[in-house]
């Protein structure tokens, strides 16, 4: 991911990117997570890491050969970092800081801090506790990366009115 962060630094832009993380556990076994990080150009480093909590699908593939499988439970563990919001520095000009000399509750300072951000990955967006946790932390922006198929009749959340792949393409 270093080349992506190098370009982000060059252009002065923040980046949120997902990847398959290999985290060496205390034992010799490696643990894998579906992970997203947030790189801040202002801080010139990754300032937040999120690991997907709600893994969809099954551990074993479906028997039907042409079935759409979601095998995240086979390859990843559920995330263990929770839904923690964070501040993204440098995105808003003239943000209120501890050294600006103004009280945080003065009328002209409301909403003038660095934005509060949350991250989700794909299936997490379908569960209310993620939204609730970020809402309670005052999140103003929620980043959600996903890659969901339009045709997956075996999977939860499929529209029962879409009965063919052609109909799914039309709906997309």
């Amino acid at each position: 991911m270093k080349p992506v962060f190098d370009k982000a630094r060059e252009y002065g832009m923040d980046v949120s990117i997902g990847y398959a993380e290999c985290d060496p556990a205390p034992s010799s076994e490696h643990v894998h997570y579906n992970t997203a990080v947030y790189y801040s150009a202002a801080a010139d480093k990754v300032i937040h890491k999120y690991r997907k909590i709600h893994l969809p699908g099954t551990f074993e593939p479906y028997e039907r050969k042409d079935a759409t499988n979601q095998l995240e439970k086979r390859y990843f563990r559920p995330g263990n970092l929770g839904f923690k919001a964070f501040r993204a520095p440098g995105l808003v000009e003239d943000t209120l800081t501890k050294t600006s000399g103004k009280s945080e509750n003065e009328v002209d300072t409301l909403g003038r801090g660095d934005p509060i951000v949350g991250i989700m990955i794909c299936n997490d967006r379908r569960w209310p506790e993620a939204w609730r946790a970020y809402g309670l932390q005052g999140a103003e922006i929620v980043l959600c990366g996903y890659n969901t198929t339009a045709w997956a009749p075996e999977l939860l959340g499929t529209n029962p009115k879409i009965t063919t792949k052609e109909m799914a393409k039309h709906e997309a």
Side-chain angles (χ1 to χ4, degrees):
M1 289 189 292
K2 185 180 179 321
V4 173
F5 298 150
D6 289 344
K7 279 295 180 187
R9 180 184 311 106
E10 179 184 335
Y11 292 121
M13 59 190 282
D14 291 14
V15 176
S16 179
I17 189 168
Y19 66 103
E21 175 190 11
C22 180
D23 183 32
S27 67
S28 61
E29 177 190 3
H30 287 275
V31 178
H32 297 90
Y33 296 99
N34 188 344
T35 301
V37 294
Y38 186 94
Y39 170 84
S40 165
D44 192 23
K45 65 181 180 180
V46 171
I47 61 169
H48 188 74
K49 180 193 291 189
Y50 171 77
R51 292 175 174 160
K52 183 176 180 180
I53 292 174
H54 299 102
L55 302 177
T58 59
F59 189 84
E60 294 298 329
Y62 294 114
E63 289 183 24
R64 207 179 89 228
K65 298 285 186 220
D66 65 341
T68 300
N69 287 284
Q70 288 182 323
L71 301 175
E72 284 188 67
K73 291 178 180 173
R74 172 181 276 197
Y75 301 107
F76 299 114
R77 297 253 177 100
N80 58 0
L81 301 177
F83 298 106
K84 295 181 181 164
F86 62 98
R87 292 222 178 239
L91 297 181
V92 179
E93 290 183 18
D94 301 322
T95 58
L96 176 66
T97 64
K98 290 180 181 178
T99 60
S100 65
K102 292 192 175 188
S103 167
E104 61 190 32
N105 292 323
E106 291 179 30
V107 175
D108 62 339
T109 65
L110 297 177
R112 294 302 311 218
D114 289 323
I116 302 169
V117 181
I119 298 179
M120 294 184 216
I121 300 173
C122 198
N123 196 39
D124 291 326
R125 74 189 188 274
R126 296 180 176 177
W127 303 92
E129 69 266 20
W131 297 102
R132 181 178 184 275
Y134 285 136
L136 289 172
Q137 296 171 74
E140 300 164 296
I141 303 168
V142 177
L143 307 174
C144 182
Y146 60 92
N147 183 15
T148 304
T149 181
W151 174 252
E154 297 84 2
L155 304 178
L156 179 66
T158 301
N159 183 342
K161 294 178 183 175
I162 299 175
T163 57
T164 66
K165 288 183 182 181
E166 290 72 30
M167 288 176 73
K169 287 179 185 176
H170 178 73
E171 285 293 314

